[in-house]
Amino acid sequence: MSKVCAVSGRGPLTGNKRSHSMRATRRTWNVNLQKVRLVVDGKPQTVRVSARALRTLKKQGAI
């Protein structure tokens, strides 16, 4: 299952983990995905939405 938000299209970010001696090793920051039942094209479906997009949908009254 991909780690991409169904609403915003937001995916994982990559960067460096820095140790105390500032050595760099690669790491990823994954998206906080939640399973939510939304009405899509008139039918309820379970979609994976990021927590940030879920807050926005709730604020706009879509959920």
Side-chain angles (χ1 to χ4, degrees), residues 20-63:
H20 182 67
S21 63
M22 294 299 286
R23 284 181 64 101
T25 55
R26 299 301 285 179
R27 63 157 291 179
T28 59
W29 286 268
N30 288 322
V31 185
N32 183 7
L33 293 178
Q34 308 292 324
K35 288 184 182 175
V36 181
R37 287 183 62 82
L38 295 176
V39 177
V40 179
D41 297 330
K43 299 182 232 177
Q45 283 186 342
T46 302
V47 293
R48 288 167 55 117
V49 178
S50 66
R52 176 66 58 92
L54 188 58
R55 287 184 61 187
T56 304
L57 290 173
K58 285 183 178 178
K59 182 176 181 179
Q60 292 176 347
I63 294 179

